[in-house]
Amino acid sequence: MTFIDSHVHLADPAFDEDRSEVIERARAAGAVALVCIGESLAAARRAAALADAHPGFCYHTAGVHPHDAAEFDGERDIAGITVELDRGAVAIGECGLDYHYDHSPREPQRAAFSAQLDLARRTGKPVVVHTREAEDDTRAMITDAGRAGVRGVLHCFTGSHALARAGLDVGWYVSFSGIVTFRKWSDDDLLRLVPEDRLLVESDAPYLAPVPHRGRRNEPSWVPRTVERLAIARGVEATAIAHRTVVNARCLFGLA
Ligand SMILES: [Zn+2]
Ligand SMILES: [Zn+2]
């Protein structure tokens, strides 16, 4: 199958020892592109170097994760993200709201997310959104942004059907990770709720390795396990889903 990993932290130090082998295994498994997430400006700069080293295969994003929102400085960080967009970043993020960990207070989380949504509106770039146990605020903020023309993806989605629908209603995509392969996963209705033209898959590596690799460092070459799980839930061929994710990721991120 051919697929696009729409969300991988390939610049993470977890890959410092063998990053080129990880990239080669991804290609061998059928990956035609990797969207390397810059969850901070430092990570975005490292991800940009990967995009430079692997043109047409690695792409990068730039944003400030909700975990780090307490340190978000609107002027400095929006300028920093804009620099990355000017040098080819394909999306803003990951950004969003995480009320599960609450690593940053919620008000700064909302402020940082709002500023990044506003940058997306002004630049026309899509947003990669992280949301966990923040359903009401996420729904309100992405609905407003979507109505203002912002496009995006709810990444590593495990939320409610209502939140998925709120994203779909404003034209957004929903991305599933290896979590859907875990034995405790029980919401196959959610896997069927997303129309095929809004479906993305991701590793979120180095986190969240799919079964049967659970507990190990994750990598993009294992994304087919997630695709296969989606195929079972949806009653279609895995190769067909994989192909759709390529078309969809190219469309959302404007990949070549
Ligand atoms: Zn995330
Ligand atoms: Zn992530």
Side-chain angles (χ1 to χ4, degrees), residues 93-161:
E94 59 181 295
C95 54
L97 303 172
D98 193 319
Y99 298 170
H100 174 76
Y101 286 109
D102 278 329
H103 285 329
S104 285
R106 295 179 181 183
E107 189 48 46
Q109 288 195 42
R110 288 188 286 269
F113 187 30
S114 174
Q116 291 174 90
L117 288 171
D118 189 57
L119 181 64
R121 183 184 57 74
R122 289 186 277 117
T123 58
K125 293 290 183 188
V127 279
V128 176
V129 170
H130 170 111
T131 177
R132 192 156 177 207
E133 292 176 26
E135 294 247 337
D136 292 347
D137 286 347
T138 301
R139 186 160 54 238
M141 292 175 77
I142 69 170
T143 297
D144 281 353
R147 285 179 182 153
V150 173
R151 299 168 306 122
V153 54
L154 296 169
H155 109 86
C156 192
F157 191 73
T158 58
S160 70
H161 293 200

Side-chain angles (χ1 to χ4, degrees), residues 3 34 40 44 63 159 168 178 244 254:
F3 66 92
L34 308 177
S40 67
L168 295 169
R244 280 307 312 203

Side-chain angles (χ1 to χ4, degrees), residues 9-216:
H9 297 268
L10 195 59
D12 190 276
F15 296 110
D16 281 354
E17 299 295 311
D18 61 346
R19 192 170 284 107
S20 48
E21 287 93 330
V22 169
I23 290 171
E24 279 321 301
R25 284 197 293 273
R27 285 188 197 271
V32 294
L34 308 177
V35 178
C36 303
I37 299 299
E39 73 279 7
S40 67
L41 287 172
R45 284 189 282 271
R46 294 197 303 271
L50 288 173
D52 289 343
H54 304 275
F57 188 71
C58 290
Y59 296 87
H60 83 292
T61 75
V64 176
H65 197 282
H67 290 344
D68 302 320
E71 281 82 52
F72 181 80
D73 175 319
E75 207 167 317
R76 178 198 64 199
D77 292 331
I78 292 299
I81 296 167
T82 302
V83 166
E84 293 302 328
L85 295 176
D86 289 343
R87 66 186 277 198
V90 295
I92 296 162
E94 59 181 295
C95 54
L97 303 172
D98 193 319
Y99 298 170
H100 174 76
Y101 286 109
D102 278 329
H103 285 329
S104 285
R106 295 179 181 183
E107 189 48 46
Q109 288 195 42
R110 288 188 286 269
F113 187 30
S114 174
Q116 291 174 90
L117 288 171
D118 189 57
L119 181 64
R121 183 184 57 74
R122 289 186 277 117
T123 58
K125 293 290 183 188
V127 279
V128 176
V129 170
H130 170 111
T131 177
R132 192 156 177 207
E133 292 176 26
E135 294 247 337
D136 292 347
D137 286 347
T138 301
R139 186 160 54 238
M141 292 175 77
I142 69 170
T143 297
D144 281 353
R147 285 179 182 153
V150 173
R151 299 168 306 122
V153 54
L154 296 169
H155 109 86
C156 192
F157 191 73
T158 58
S160 70
H161 293 200
L163 182 55
R165 278 202 197 89
L168 295 169
D169 281 348
V170 289
W172 284 33
Y173 293 75
V174 176
S175 180
F176 292 109
S177 71
I179 289 177
V180 306
T181 71
F182 295 176
R183 202 173 342 185
K184 67 169 198 265
W185 178 265
S186 60
D187 194 1
D188 278 13
D189 285 340
L190 175 66
L191 306 185
R192 290 185 281 267
L193 180 145
V194 180
E196 67 169 15
D197 62 345
R198 305 291 189 74
L199 191 62
L200 294 175
V201 288
E202 66 180 271
S203 63
D204 207 10
Y207 317 107
L208 298 172
V211 172
H213 309 290
R214 194 165 178 197
R216 297 170 62 189

